[in-house]
Amino acid sequence: MNLLNYNCPMLKRFCLVLVVLFTCFSNSSAQNPNNIALNQLGFYPNAPKVAIVSGVTTGRFTLKSTAGKVVFSRKLKASGKPDFAGVKTASANFSAFHQTGKFVVAVAGLPDSYPFDIKPNVFANAAKASVKAYYFMRASTALPEKFAGKWHRTAGHPDTAVLVHPSAASANRPAGTKIAAPKGWYDAGDYNKYIVNSGIATGTLLSLYEDFPEYMGSVKTNIPESGNQVPDLLNEVLWNLRWMLSMQDPEDGGVYNKLTNAVFDVMEMPEKATAPRYVVQKGTAATLDFAAVMAQAARIFKPFSVQFPGLSDSCLAASKKAWQWAAKNPNVQYDQEAMNQKFDPKITTGPYGDAFFTDEFIWAGSELTITTGDDAYYKSINALANPAMPLPNWAQVKLLGYYSLAKNQNQLTGQAKADLPEIKKRLVAFADQLISGADATAFHTVFGKSAREFNWGSNSSAANQGVALIKVYQLTGKQKYLDYALTNLDYLLGRNATGYSFLTGYGSKTPMHPHHRPSVSDGVVDPVPGLLVAGANPGMQDGVKYPSAIPDRAYIDDDRAYAANEIAINWNAPFAYLINAVEALQSRLNNHKVFIHFLQQLIMGKYQKIE
């Protein structure tokens, strides 16, 4: 047998063993307590700058240029608590250093940290990539090299002849009817499209634009629509919005839960995945999420009526019709197991089944109230009945309604306006709860105070915490909320127990093998960039053996590990919000300082003339 033949199965197995061994050794630092963890992209000159040193609690650290020159030195400060492995840590705080350049943190006896930048707009490229990531998730279209670079691909899933599943059949659309529902974003590592998950992802991106329209209008992502006098973020959102509109039954206003294969595709490129596709049962959660997003979109796209004639009106009409369906069907749960007992083919893809709809009513009612000015929507939802403030996720969207009410407070009347002070009070209290105790943790981040936070999609929790803190910063103007939001961005980009920057393509040590079918199948070594992976998850529901089961270390860069290394549009959205909001706020601060400096110079000049 010729071992020099690469097509030889024995050689392939041998090479695979070598790769696994190399990966284990190269990834050992992820489990090594004696490391220096920090944001691998860097820091703003005038913002907090902290690295965490594991296994050392005393002594000094130095900041060195990459040429080796020591530019700053201070004492390490022992952290209040060890990490979840019991390893003690110390913080290296160099916030007082403001010079720009490329640097490393050094501690005697340890390898230097990864190199990082200190400069204005230090996250601009990664922030842009987190939005461009949605272009790479587009269904029903080719991605030409001009826009997709080496990740270009041919079109897959035209979705122009989607079958109505028996669970979704109606008099107007009996089972087997073919409908067109093209476009949209692939949901995650798979090629299906889900309204519930699409709802929170799209709503979060619309909120990003609504909160920072000027900055997001400047973010150019090089997509086919670029240059059409519409911000690229909104161009991208519209690709998904068009699909969502096609998922509403035009007869009654109800919305199908998802567009899906019967089973997940194998790891192959989109154009090779040609299994029949179905729309399945309508549900209250999907319909209300749709109503909320369409009401948001109606007001946000209204200024772009020249580019998109009638779009705003169509979105609002669809939202109202969906609301009416949900009001008549307030408790229709998408229960995939029960559905499969009644109908064929069986559907085994992600269910996104939600049994409680109060939060969806609050979100949809809030958005419709803001967009229409009709307080009747708000009066019907009893937004203050439950004082609980759960962090947003696909099954819990109450705070999305609160965020929009607080942002659009000047448009509120009646009961919504009367409730606003309590809503603000709850948001501030929630933010205070988030930041309480963060400074005492091993990594000095808001995320990770409890082992319970490390679950499936834990990185999205870190990002959503950051979103909440920025929302409250906008409400109060208090710097502490922005500073604490930055700690979670630091966590996601490297200041964590794994040593990974969890955003593909950005950082010195990033995921190379996400559970993402195009990244696995396209023959390109680097994964699609700008994707946030799920993160540490000791549940390990995928059956893959991780290097550690300790909560903050339970991560592996393996494309089989969908419980820790999958990507998803609802995880990317809060990350995109967080990192772009930070960039927007920093740019605003820099512009303010430049303006103040200009005024000072102008005043000094005038004084000199008077003298």
Side-chain angles (χ1 to χ4, degrees):
M1 185 174 290
N2 182 6
L3 292 180
L4 294 178
N5 178 3
Y6 182 72
N7 291 320
C8 168
M10 182 179 292
L11 180 59
K12 283 186 177 180
R13 285 194 292 271
F14 176 70
C15 290
L16 181 60
V17 169
L18 288 179
V19 168
V20 170
L21 287 173
F22 176 77
T23 301
C24 289
F25 282 116
S26 65
N27 285 353
S28 63
S29 61
Q31 310 307 322
N32 181 357
N34 297 314
N35 64 349
I36 301 173
L38 45 64
N39 188 318
Q40 294 172 23
L41 273 64
F43 306 90
Y44 298 116
N46 296 307
K49 307 173 194 68
V50 175
I52 298 298
V53 183
S54 294
V56 176
T57 58
T58 60
R60 299 183 70 85
F61 74 92
T62 58
L63 189 66
K64 301 187 297 186
S65 70
T66 49
K69 180 182 178 181
V70 174
V71 294
F72 187 85
S73 181
R74 287 288 189 277
K75 288 183 179 180
L76 293 168
K77 183 179 179 180
S79 302
K81 296 178 182 178
D83 66 16
F84 288 97
V87 177
K88 294 181 178 180
T89 69
S91 62
N93 191 322
F94 49 104
S95 302
F97 182 79
H98 306 295
Q99 296 176 27
T100 59
K102 188 175 285 289
F103 306 94
V104 296
V105 171
V107 175
L110 298 178
D112 290 349
S113 74
Y114 292 121
F116 57 88
D117 290 310
I118 298 178
K119 65 180 182 180
N121 309 117
V122 68
F123 304 126
N125 290 335
K128 183 187 297 186
S130 69
V131 174
K132 178 66 177 278
Y134 287 88
Y135 174 71
F136 292 109
M137 300 296 281
R138 287 188 183 188
S140 312
T141 188
L143 306 186
E145 188 172 2
K146 177 181 178 181
F147 305 108
K150 61 185 176 183
W151 299 280
H152 62 91
R153 56 176 168 84
T154 56
H157 301 100
D159 288 340
T160 52
V162 179
L163 299 170
V164 174
H165 189 262
S167 66
S170 62
N172 243 20
R173 291 178 166 181
T177 301
K178 292 182 179 180
I179 67 170
K183 299 189 176 182
W185 299 317
Y186 295 130
D187 178 69
D190 62 292
Y191 292 137
N192 303 307
K193 302 184 289 191
Y194 308 80
I195 286 290
V196 171
N197 210 38
S198 189
I200 188 172
T202 308
T204 301
L205 294 177
L206 285 169
S207 183
L208 170 61
Y209 178 79
E210 190 167 41
D211 288 353
F212 304 100
E214 184 177 354
Y215 178 78
M216 294 314 302
S218 72
V219 175
K220 311 299 182 186
T221 57
N222 183 33
I223 56 178
E225 299 83 1
S226 296
N228 66 348
Q229 307 306 309
V230 177
D232 280 358
L233 174 62
L234 293 187
N235 281 317
E236 193 56 61
V237 164
L238 185 56
W239 186 268
N240 196 59
L241 207 65
R242 299 277 193 203
W243 166 70
M244 291 183 72
L245 285 165
S246 72
M247 290 290 284
Q248 184 177 44
D249 186 334
E251 186 69 20
D252 63 12
V255 178
Y256 304 114
N257 184 272
K258 58 180 174 177
L259 190 161
T260 182
N261 298 357
V263 299
F264 286 115
D265 290 306
V266 299
M267 288 290 185
E268 60 188 3
M269 292 299 285
E271 70 274 12
K272 295 183 179 179
T274 57
R277 309 263 277 178
Y278 300 88
V279 290
V280 297
Q281 178 196 320
K282 300 165 192 169
T284 302
T287 302
L288 287 170
D289 286 343
F290 174 97
V293 168
M294 291 303 157
Q296 266 186 300
R299 66 175 181 268
I300 291 170
F301 278 95
K302 193 171 184 177
F304 302 98
S305 58
V306 173
Q307 293 87 353
F308 308 121
L311 174 64
S312 176
D313 292 341
S314 295
C315 288
L316 185 55
S319 177
K320 290 178 176 179
K321 196 165 187 176
W323 176 268
Q324 291 166 1
W325 186 93
K328 294 175 184 176
N329 301 273
N331 198 33
V332 179
Q333 179 183 355
Y334 180 76
D335 184 336
Q336 192 158 278
E337 186 175 342
M339 183 186 78
N340 284 338
Q341 293 175 4
K342 297 179 182 178
F343 303 109
D344 289 312
K346 311 299 183 192
I347 305 295
T348 59
T349 54
Y352 289 106
D354 189 355
F356 304 98
F357 311 113
T358 301
D359 56 303
E360 284 86 4
F361 272 106
I362 289 174
W363 183 27
S366 298
E367 300 294 356
L368 275 161
T369 297
I370 296 163
T371 301
T372 66
D374 186 350
D375 199 48
Y377 291 107
Y378 185 83
K379 287 180 179 178
S380 70
I381 60 177
N382 199 4
L384 299 182
N386 186 347
M389 298 287 284
L391 193 69
N393 60 56
W394 64 262
Q396 181 49 257
V397 293
K398 171 182 171 178
L399 261 61
L400 301 189
Y402 278 21
Y403 293 161
S404 285
L405 291 167
K407 169 64 181 175
N408 295 280
Q409 55 187 289
N410 293 335
Q411 280 90 285
L412 303 182
T413 60
Q415 191 60 49
K417 185 175 182 180
D419 285 353
L420 186 61
E422 177 62 22
I423 288 172
K424 288 182 177 179
K425 180 181 176 182
R426 291 184 183 186
L427 286 170
V428 172
F430 178 59
D432 288 339
Q433 181 184 8
L434 287 176
I435 67 179
S436 177
D439 294 334
T441 64
F443 287 87
H444 295 221
T445 57
V446 170
F447 179 77
K449 290 187 291 184
S450 166
R452 292 190 300 272
E453 291 183 283
F454 295 94
N455 48 34
W456 201 326
S458 62
N459 282 343
S460 71
S461 295
N464 269 307
Q465 288 176 352
V467 172
L469 292 170
I470 286 176
K471 295 284 188 180
V472 173
Y473 168 72
Q474 291 174 292
L475 272 180
T476 65
K478 292 183 178 180
Q479 185 68 31
K480 65 178 181 179
Y481 298 115
L482 179 56
D483 289 346
Y484 278 110
L486 270 171
T487 71
N488 275 16
L489 186 58
D490 286 348
Y491 170 87
L492 292 167
L493 295 175
R495 196 166 114 196
N496 58 66
T498 73
Y500 275 90
S501 168
F502 289 118
L503 187 70
T504 57
Y506 289 86
S508 296
K509 183 176 183 177
T510 65
M512 292 295 293
H513 308 286
H515 183 89
H516 176 232
R517 279 163 176 75
S519 292
V520 171
S521 309
D522 61 7
V524 179
V525 172
D526 296 321
V528 168
L531 298 171
L532 184 74
V533 298
N537 175 16
M540 296 182 279
Q541 294 88 344
D542 44 47
V544 175
K545 184 175 175 58
Y546 295 11
S548 174
I550 296 169
D552 59 356
R553 286 168 164 76
Y555 172 76
I556 187 171
D557 182 19
D558 187 320
D559 58 53
R560 301 168 302 164
Y562 55 79
N565 215 33
E566 190 169 11
I567 57 88
I569 57 174
N570 65 309
W571 299 339
N572 244 69
F575 179 83
Y577 183 104
L578 174 59
I579 193 169
N580 280 281
V582 165
E583 274 291 302
L585 291 167
Q586 181 67 20
S587 296
R588 188 183 300 170
L589 180 63
N590 284 341
N591 290 338
H592 175 72
K593 287 181 176 179
V594 168
F595 180 65
I596 294 297
H597 178 72
F598 170 76
L599 286 180
Q600 288 171 339
Q601 295 301 308
L602 185 62
I603 291 169
M604 289 173 62
K606 285 183 176 180
Y607 282 150
Q608 289 168 358
K609 287 180 181 179
I610 291 172
E611 292 174 354

